[in-house]
Amino acid sequence: MRLRKHNAAHFEDSTGIDLAPMLDFVLNLLIFFIITAVFLKEFGITVSRPNSSNVEKKESTSIVINIGADGQVIVDHKIIDQRSVRANIERLHSQRPDDPVVVAADQAAPTGILVDVIDQARQGGVQNVSIAASKS
């Protein structure tokens, strides 16, 4: 019987780095990031700013709150404190329940006051609150 010689190059081909576990790990990371990305939500207010001519049209049939550049709040042609917006809106809303509220803010008005006024108007019972640019 003849003996065969084993080729040393044959054994070297079978050695190497197995990439299958690394690919499994990368696929699991990809699935994890795709699933967690679905749960991210951005919070904010969607604002469509009309021009100042729309304020004049809505003034006759709506409750208008003006916010000046210095943060001064005017409701029903009276300067009021920022904290009393809710009480004034409740009073005006009881007199005119179908009228929406329009918040006319100056471009230089502080955003925090604008958001606070909108929140107080909604707490006062009015759900239809719009934002407009004030006449400067």
Side-chain angles (χ1 to χ4, degrees):
M1 206 153 84
R2 274 175 95 181
L3 293 175
R4 292 187 183 177
K5 290 184 178 179
H6 294 292
N7 195 352
H10 183 298
F11 292 113
E12 288 178 13
D13 288 340
S14 65
T15 60
I17 299 173
D18 188 15
L19 296 178
M22 184 182 72
L23 289 175
D24 288 340
F25 180 72
V26 170
L27 244 154
N28 285 334
L29 280 177
L30 180 67
I31 291 170
F32 173 76
F33 286 122
I34 289 173
I35 290 173
T36 56
V38 173
F39 298 116
L40 296 177
K41 286 187 178 181
E42 293 183 18
F43 296 103
I45 299 174
T46 305
V47 176
S48 57
R49 293 187 63 162
N51 55 14
S52 62
S53 64
N54 289 350
V55 175
E56 295 170 10
K57 294 176 187 175
K58 290 186 176 183
E59 256 183 36
S60 61
T61 62
S62 24
I63 302 167
V64 179
I65 303 171
N66 291 312
I67 302 174
D70 56 350
Q72 189 176 40
V73 180
I74 302 170
V75 176
D76 200 24
H77 305 293
K78 296 176 196 166
I79 298 172
I80 63 167
D81 187 40
Q82 177 185 344
R83 295 174 297 235
S84 65
V85 171
R86 179 179 176 179
N88 284 289
I89 293 300
E90 286 175 348
R91 178 181 54 84
L92 291 171
H93 183 61
S94 66
Q95 295 170 358
R96 303 180 285 181
D98 294 333
D99 289 353
V101 171
V102 176
V103 180
D106 191 90
Q107 288 183 349
T111 308
I113 293 176
L114 174 65
V115 172
D116 188 42
V117 167
I118 292 171
D119 287 342
Q120 287 191 35
R122 288 197 175 146
Q123 290 172 357
V126 180
Q127 295 303 316
N128 190 4
V129 180
S130 302
I131 302 172
S134 69
K135 298 177 260 185
S136 298

